[in-house]
Amino acid sequence: GAVVSQHPSWVICKSGTSVKIECRSLDFQATTMFWYRQFPKQSLMLMATSNEGSKATYEQGVEKDKFLINHASLTLSTLTVTSAHPEDSSFYICSARGPGTEYGYTFGSGTRLTVV
Amino acid sequence: AQSVTQLDSHVSVSEGTPVLLRCNYSSSYSPSLFWYVQHPNKGLQLLLKYTSAATLVKGINGFEAEFKKSETSFHLTKPSAHMSDAAEYFCVVSKAAGNKLTFGGGTRVLVKP
């Protein structure tokens, strides 16, 4: 079945530094990838949608200069949290959809980011 | 626009008894509907999906859901709960043509021995 690998699974960083999270589709080509943020005991909120080779589309209220998304290949998308602050601490989850997997969204295992 | 409402934020059941998780949706088009499960600090696993075929959808681990257009509902059921079913469950809607997913608020299931 379709597998999405997300790395790292957890990361602790100092305030002001940047953190990169990777999302890889291991056995299919992900034409579209999605990045979500989840606060404790809350639902997933879509941050942005990225299509391979084009700029990401950000949801309203999401700072595109803070959350940099790159989808340079059909198997890799990255989310970089720049100049991280404690309020950026959250659980980030990616999801990928392939060209031949109609309605098939495969989720990564998530990344727990803690900014201290 | 589309939206999803999960009517219960928490559900507590005894092991071996039925589970019912309620979901209502709002959509201006024929939607695709999904149920996902999330265990603590993990990603999401697809339980089942409705994509305008049979209204009664069978999923993994004994779960099933029924699409009722007249009631705009897509409730998830399981006849007999297991301890391993304790998790967070999300009802999700998307456009029939695919793409953006809209999540419900989630229902946390507690299974008592």
Side-chain angles (χ1 to χ4, degrees):
Chain A
V3 178
V4 171
S5 173
Q6 188 172 341
H7 179 81
S9 56
W10 61 269
V11 58
I12 301 173
C13 71
K14 291 185 177 181
S15 187
T17 62
S18 296
V19 174
K20 180 183 285 188
I21 302 170
E22 291 189 350
C23 182
R24 293 180 184 272
S25 57
L26 298 186
D27 50 3
F28 67 100
Q29 293 183 327
T31 52
T32 306
M33 285 191 173
F34 307 87
W35 287 95
Y36 297 87
R37 183 173 182 176
Q38 185 180 30
F39 290 104
K41 299 184 179 181
Q42 294 189 26
S43 188
L44 279 72
M45 298 299 294
L46 179 65
M47 299 175 66
T49 303
S50 72
N51 293 295
E52 185 265 339
S54 60
K55 290 185 177 180
T57 301
Y58 290 81
E59 295 298 302
Q60 192 172 8
V62 177
E63 299 177 62
K64 60 182 180 181
D65 294 331
K66 181 167 190 59
F67 299 100
L68 301 179
I69 291 172
N70 185 283
H71 190 168
S73 77
L74 284 171
T75 59
L76 174 65
S77 177
T78 60
L79 167 67
T80 302
V81 183
T82 62
S83 187
H85 292 283
E87 57 265 30
D88 298 325
S89 299
S90 191
F91 194 58
Y92 294 87
I93 304 176
C94 70
S95 175
R97 188 167 70 93
T101 54
E102 188 180 18
Y103 311 127
Y105 303 82
T106 304
F107 286 82
S109 56
T111 298
R112 171 74 58 193
L113 170 63
T114 302
V115 184
V116 298
Chain B
Q2 57 194 21
S3 65
V4 181
T5 302
Q6 291 182 243
L7 301 173
D8 307 292
S9 60
H10 293 82
V11 167
S12 181
V13 299
S14 297
E15 190 175 20
T17 64
V19 180
L20 169 64
L21 306 183
R22 298 181 296 167
C23 172
N24 285 102
Y25 69 92
S26 172
S27 177
S28 55
Y29 36 74
S30 181
S32 291
L33 293 157
F34 310 80
W35 276 99
Y36 284 89
V37 61
Q38 183 183 34
H39 289 91
N41 292 312
K42 299 292 184 182
L44 276 71
Q45 181 183 20
L46 179 66
L47 288 176
L48 49 80
K49 61 183 179 183
Y50 166 78
T51 55
S52 72
T55 56
L56 183 61
V57 183
K58 293 188 181 299
I60 63 171
N61 301 337
F63 285 95
E64 64 179 37
E66 186 172 8
F67 173 72
K68 292 186 176 180
K69 186 176 181 179
S70 60
E71 299 177 9
T72 61
S73 69
F74 190 57
H75 301 335
L76 180 71
T77 60
K78 182 172 181 176
S80 176
H82 293 175
M83 296 299 293
S84 60
D85 293 328
E88 186 89 19
Y89 292 79
F90 293 99
C91 183
V92 182
V93 65
S94 78
K95 277 187 174 182
N99 217 336
K100 188 184 297 187
L101 300 178
T102 299
F103 283 76
T107 299
R108 185 169 297 274
V109 172
L110 172 66
V111 182
K112 298 176 290 185

